[in-house]
Structure formats: C-alpha cells, structure tokens
Amino acid sequence: MPRLAVFALVVCALAVAAAVVSFVQGSWLGIVWILMAGISSNMAWFYVRKAKMDRARREGSAVAG
C-alpha cells in the first residue's frame, strides 16, 4: 500500500476518534471531524487506485516492450 494512502488512513482513524470524543462530550464540533474523515478516506482510496493503475501500466509496458 502506498505511503500516502497509509497516512490518509491514519488521519481518517484519528478523525473518527476525535469525532466520537467530541460527540460524547456534547460538542457539535464532531461534524467537522466527520468531514475530515470523509476527505481523508477518499484520499486513501484515490492513492490506492492510483498505485494499482501505475503498477498495471508498468506491467503492461514491460510486456509490450
């Protein structure tokens, strides 16, 4: 898994934990943390897909060439 995807997943997990703590304490600031978790999970998904496509492109060019 690409390093940026791992970092994005770590940020996502921390944002979810911060949202839970925020909501348990009665703060509506947890909504911001939920949005941050959504953005970071999308970034992780993007970097995983990008790495797969790059790997397939390299393997395809190695076979063709």
Side-chain angles (χ1 to χ4, degrees):
M1 184 179 289
R3 185 178 300 151
L4 287 174
V6 173
F7 289 156
L9 283 176
V10 168
V11 169
C12 181
L14 291 174
V16 168
V20 168
V21 169
S22 183
F23 284 133
V24 165
Q25 291 180 350
S27 173
W28 286 96
L29 190 61
I31 293 172
V32 175
W33 291 114
I34 293 294
L35 294 174
M36 178 73 79
I39 291 170
S40 60
S41 70
N42 285 342
M43 288 174 61
W45 181 249
F46 170 79
Y47 286 123
V48 168
R49 287 185 55 209
K50 183 176 182 292
K52 277 186 188 178
M53 289 179 2
D54 289 345
R55 190 178 327 118
R57 188 178 309 126
R58 272 186 275 132
E59 290 173 359
S61 65
V63 170

